[in-house]
Each structure stands twice: as structure tokens, then as C-alpha cells.
Amino acid sequence: MTDSGLASLPASDRTDIAARLRDALLAASFTADGLLELLGAPAYAALARSETVPALRATRGDTPLETLVRLFLLQQPVPHARVAAVLPAEEALEAGWLTRVGGDEVAATVDVRPYGGPGGEDWFIVSDLGCAVGGAGGIGQRDEGVVLGVGGASTTLAGITVRTPVASALDLGTGSGIQALHAVQHATRVTATDLNPRALHITALTLALSGAPAADLREGSLFEPVRADETFDLIVSNPPFVISPGARLTYRDGGMGGDDLCRSLVQQAGERLNEGGFAQFLANWQHVAGEDWQDRLRSWVPRGCDAWIVQREVQDITQYAELWLRDAGDHRGDPAEYQARYDAWLDEFEARKVKAVGFGWITLRRTGSAEPVVTVEEWPHPVEQPLGDTIRAHFERLDYLREHDDAALLHSHFKLAAEVVQEQVGLPGAEDPEHVVLRQHRGMRRATKVDTVGAGFAGVCDGTLSAGRILDAIAQLMDEDPVVLRDRTPAQIRVLVEQGFLEPSR
């Protein structure tokens, strides 16, 4: 791949200038909080929609922060003297962060966007001009070699990733380096790969400008740059998962038939994981006529791995094609060319008998169990990010349930999870509710129906009494046979534990 049509990039080995630029950006409050305070909520939100007029109006002064917003976010030429009062301008010009334009003005060569880390860190994500979400150039037509900034998909993946300290992490298809930036905070060694050498260069810039440790950057597709004997404790990837006819846009299109790229990525991850390690991906998958989509995804899971796959959204093939044609800006071009590309997309789907496309999260965990657990579910409802701890706890509960048969479960003690409420649904004035629902207000924010026994059991769980003792008490209150109740209730307890409504207390 060449950089034809793309601007040159700053030097990635000049850590001295990156450190000085970082100090200057922070001194001017060029941070996520600083931007919100300067622009105000409406202009800040408009910028996320690629509407720049409110932000331009909010930066008509000459303060250091306004200068930096115009330079790096709005990509406007700024007088050299104004920039020199804020940044080490000559060094930034020499290193390639800035370029001279017009008579005595300078412009940025890359988009630099403040990004707040999970612990309140002030980070900066570098991307190609106009390619940050909400960037001044919008999200229209792009050269195939461009590197995008942070978007909804990348922040979603960052939020669901398990953040326990690990020795080694791998970021496949690193792009602008957002996943690698998160990973270097809790992994001793981070390896990042990308087919696009420009992306590796920008990842190095992102890490350096954020004051983060460097990563081991390797060029190549997915696992290709990884040595045969290398394994990792954490693998993350926001791959080019778009199912399209061909691979016109490298940053988003898989380039394999259908959803084969995502399938291959998941299947190959198992042998790259250390025992207990996690692999977490965003993916698209096909809904094929005559085939259960859940069975399709179960077939992707490698041997020796537990899996939790959550489908967050489904689009029919026309919605899907239109979404990604608009993403590329094709709707703004020649109508005949747009129609031809739309037809090609539908031809591809029809040839594969694809009726819809699903999007969601895939988490694998390498396990030593002879009986791995694979959970595939649809959950399009709102969740509470970050979910890393919720996902880690899910797999810990799987281990617990594997190790406890029904008899052991009845001897166990449980606590009702935090912020679980009970809802009773029925006709007004009815003596008894039609059904009882337990609802979470944290994490996945699940809701599940329970019977009277399940509701009563969950309400009493405070870690004091064993499950068996609680059921015996319920049986006495309801005048039921305690043996029968002990026999039929463990299945319901397992569901409540697996879904996080009940937590083992000892």
C-alpha cells in the first residue's frame, strides 16, 4: 500500500517533541474536560455530528485553547505567531506535526483529539485529517489508506475489555492505537499489528503524545505478524468486520467472503491464548436462510474456550448496504455508481442467501475445563459501560457453577447482587401478580422472570443462610414438600447465578 493522496506523518521516533507537545497541550487545557467547558454542550455535540460551525463560532478568540482547537480539531490554518505562543512551533514544523501554508500560517498534518482515560488520564488520539469521528472533514469519501480516529465501535470494545493486570496483550488491527493505549496501562508487554503501515505509525504517535509506554508494532494482517510460539493473556480486536463485495476500503472491509474474516479471527484466537486468557472482538455475522444464527456462531468457538457472544443489533440487507455506502460517502457521488454499488452488495448477499447481518461482541476465555460453556444471546437493550468487570465476573460464575453440582449448590450461600429490584406485573386490583421480574440496574441491566419461590429465595439471600435452609423455610411457609422444592429449584438458582442476579458469598 502506498500513501498516495495522503499527507505525510510526523516523525514517530521523536519522543522529545511528543513530550513537549503534550506538556503544551495540557498547559492550555486541551483536554476532554477543557473542550466541553470551552465549546459548551451544544457545540461539543454538534462537532460529534461533523457540524463545525458552532465550534468555529466558539473559538473566535485568541486564547491558547481556542488556537489549539482550530488547529488540531477544526483543521483551520492559524497564524504562526499565535501557534508559537502556545506550542514549540519550530520543532513541531521540523518533526512534521505542523506544515506551513499561505503566507505566515501553519496547519496541522494530523488530527489530535483529547480522550479521557478510564482513570481520568488525559490522552490524545492521533488520526488522519478529517478522519476522527466528528472531525472537521466529516466522514465522507476517504482514501483507502487513511487511519480513522476513535468512534463508537472502538470505545465499545475498550469498555467491554477485561482490565486485569496481565503479562502480555495483543491488539489486532490497531488503527489509531486506542486499544493499545488502554492495554499498555495494565499489560507488561503489548504487541499491536496492522496491515496498514500508516496505522502503525499513527499508533506510535498516539502512544507517545499520550505519555504512554511504547508497544511492539508489527506490520501484517491479523495474526500473520505473530510468531508461531507466541501466546497472550489478552487479545483484542476491532477488525475490519464489514461484510461487503470486495475490500474497497481497507479500514473497514474484511476482504474475505461473507463473515469469514470474523470467523477466522475467532477460530484462530484459541491457540494464541494462555490458560485463563481472554480474547475480545467486535464482529458482524450473517443471518443465512435456513440456518440458526446462534448455531452459526457456536461453530466459530475454538476448542478449549468458554465463550460469551452477545448480539446487539440486527439489520436487514438493505439497511446494512445503505449504512456502509453512506459511511463511504457514495450517496454524495454519481447516482449511477451508487446504484451499481448497491446492486453489487445485494447480489453478494443473495448469492450467499443472507437475509440480515448481526453485530455484537464476542468474548473467549481459554479454560482447562473438559466441558466449555458457550453462551450466545441477543441483548439489544441499554447497558452500563464499562463492562469489563461484568464480563470477567460472568466467566468466574461459570467456573463456580461448573464446580458445584446441585447438592453443593444447596449447601452454598448467596447474596443478592447490588441494585437488583423486584417488579410485579399484573392487572390493577388483582390479588396476585401475573409474573414477577427481577431487574438489574448495573452492568448488563438484565431482567428475568421468576416464580414465587425464585422471588422469595432471591429476596432472602444475604449470605447468612445456605440455599437449602432458605428453601426449607420457603417450603414450610408455602406448605410444600421441602424435598420436592430442593429438587426443582437448583435449575432456577443456576440461571440467577449465571446472569448475575445472585453472587456466591462463600
Side-chain angles (χ1 to χ4, degrees):
M1 179 183 298
T2 67
D3 286 349
S4 176
L6 297 172
S8 59
L9 292 171
S12 59
D13 58 350
R14 289 286 307 278
T15 55
D16 57 337
I17 182 58
R20 294 192 63 191
L21 282 175
R22 173 177 172 78
D23 289 344
L25 298 179
L26 294 177
S29 296
F30 188 66
T31 63
D33 289 342
L35 287 184
L36 182 58
E37 183 176 351
L38 170 68
L39 301 179
Y44 195 78
L47 192 60
R49 301 190 301 269
S50 299
E51 296 291 347
T52 59
V53 172
L56 286 168
R57 291 173 60 86
T59 55
R60 289 179 291 193
D62 59 359
T63 67
L65 182 54
E66 288 170 298
T67 297
L68 294 176
V69 171
R70 282 190 165 254
L71 185 66
F72 286 119
L73 262 65
L74 302 176
Q75 279 109 55
Q76 299 292 307
V78 178
H80 180 278
R82 281 184 59 185
V83 174
V86 183
L87 300 175
E90 291 305 317
E91 291 181 62
L93 284 164
E94 181 184 353
W97 289 90
L98 305 176
T99 185
R100 295 186 183 276
V101 294
D104 190 29
E105 293 184 319
V106 296
T109 59
V110 288
D111 185 295
V112 175
R113 192 146 302 241
Y115 178 83
E121 302 92 345
D122 289 314
W123 292 340
F124 300 97
I125 308 301
V126 180
S127 63
D128 273 311
L129 294 175
C131 293
V133 172
I139 57 172
Q141 290 280 4
R142 306 184 185 103
D143 188 293
E144 67 169 13
V146 301
V147 179
L148 305 189
V150 179
S154 52
T155 55
T156 293
L157 178 59
I160 68 172
T161 300
V162 176
R163 296 294 175 195
T164 52
V166 294
S168 57
L170 173 64
D171 175 16
L172 295 172
T174 188
S176 60
I178 176 61
Q179 308 307 327
L181 178 57
H182 279 276
V184 296
Q185 310 303 313
H186 64 101
T188 304
R189 174 175 57 89
V190 174
T191 302
T193 72
D194 205 290
L195 180 65
N196 182 1
R198 189 177 183 86
L200 297 177
H201 194 118
I202 282 183
T203 292
L205 297 175
T206 290
L207 295 173
L209 196 60
S210 297
D216 179 7
L217 306 177
R218 303 182 192 177
E219 182 180 345
S221 177
L222 303 178
F223 287 106
E224 288 178 2
V226 179
R227 296 190 303 271
D229 61 344
E230 281 186 288
T231 55
F232 301 87
D233 301 312
L234 174 66
I235 299 172
V236 293
S237 183
N238 176 20
F241 53 68
V242 175
I243 301 170
S244 63
R248 183 163 63 101
L249 299 174
T250 306
Y251 66 86
R252 68 164 206 197
D253 297 334
M256 298 185 185
D259 53 16
D260 283 354
L261 182 138
C262 291
R263 175 186 56 79
S264 298
L265 179 61
V266 173
Q267 290 180 335
Q268 293 174 27
E271 62 185 10
R272 297 293 186 175
L273 282 176
N274 294 323
E275 192 70 22
F278 286 91
Q280 300 186 263
F281 315 104
L282 301 185
N284 274 171
W285 43 78
Q286 299 173 148
H287 285 228
V288 180
E291 178 181 319
D292 187 299
W293 68 270
Q294 293 182 326
D295 289 342
R296 181 182 189 85
L297 288 172
R298 287 189 184 95
S299 73
W300 290 10
V301 178
R303 296 177 64 180
C305 289
D306 290 331
W308 186 14
I309 302 174
V310 181
Q311 179 167 272
R312 295 288 289 159
E313 183 181 359
V314 181
Q315 291 183 311
D316 67 47
I317 56 175
T318 58
Q319 291 174 314
Y320 188 81
E322 291 163 12
L323 169 67
W324 294 110
L325 286 166
R326 287 179 176 276
D327 171 81
D330 292 327
H331 62 300
R332 300 192 186 100
D334 178 22
E337 186 175 358
Y338 173 82
Q339 182 174 341
R341 285 177 172 162
Y342 200 150
D343 275 335
W345 224 303
L346 297 184
D347 286 344
E348 177 83 4
F349 284 137
E350 289 175 8
R352 296 179 177 275
K353 300 182 179 179
V354 176
K355 301 301 182 183
V357 177
F359 166 80
W361 320 324
I362 298 176
T363 299
L364 308 176
R365 186 192 57 166
R366 190 77 185 176
T367 176
S369 173
E371 299 180 358
V373 177
V374 176
T375 301
V376 183
E377 63 176 319
E378 185 165 19
W379 190 253
H381 311 294
V383 299
E384 181 189 44
Q385 284 275 36
L387 278 170
D389 287 344
T390 298
I391 290 174
R392 175 187 50 77
H394 169 85
F395 287 94
E396 289 176 349
R397 292 193 300 270
L398 291 186
D399 286 340
Y400 176 87
L401 293 172
R402 252 194 301 252
E403 295 165 359
H404 289 72
D405 60 16
D406 286 356
L409 212 61
L410 292 173
H411 281 92
S412 300
H413 296 241
F414 300 95
K415 287 184 178 181
L416 189 66
E419 296 192 40
V420 172
V421 298
Q422 176 179 303
E423 300 174 356
Q424 297 186 158
V425 181
L427 292 174
E431 184 175 345
D432 296 311
E434 292 180 21
H435 58 260
V436 178
V437 174
L438 297 182
R439 186 178 301 277
Q440 300 169 348
H441 284 268
R442 303 298 303 272
M444 291 293 289
R445 294 178 175 167
R446 292 186 184 279
T448 187
K449 289 183 183 180
V450 292
D451 59 17
T452 304
V453 172
F457 179 88
V460 175
C461 283
D462 62 2
T464 303
L465 299 175
S466 69
R469 291 277 302 277
I470 293 174
L471 291 178
D472 289 344
I474 292 174
Q476 185 175 6
L477 287 171
M478 299 180 65
D479 197 22
E480 288 200 28
D481 185 337
V483 175
V484 173
L485 202 60
R486 278 173 170 255
D487 184 59
R488 69 178 172 87
T489 307
Q492 190 171 185
I493 296 174
R494 287 186 179 276
V495 171
L496 293 176
V497 171
E498 181 180 351
Q499 294 189 350
F501 289 93
L502 294 178
E503 299 172 347
S505 62
R506 50 175 162 148

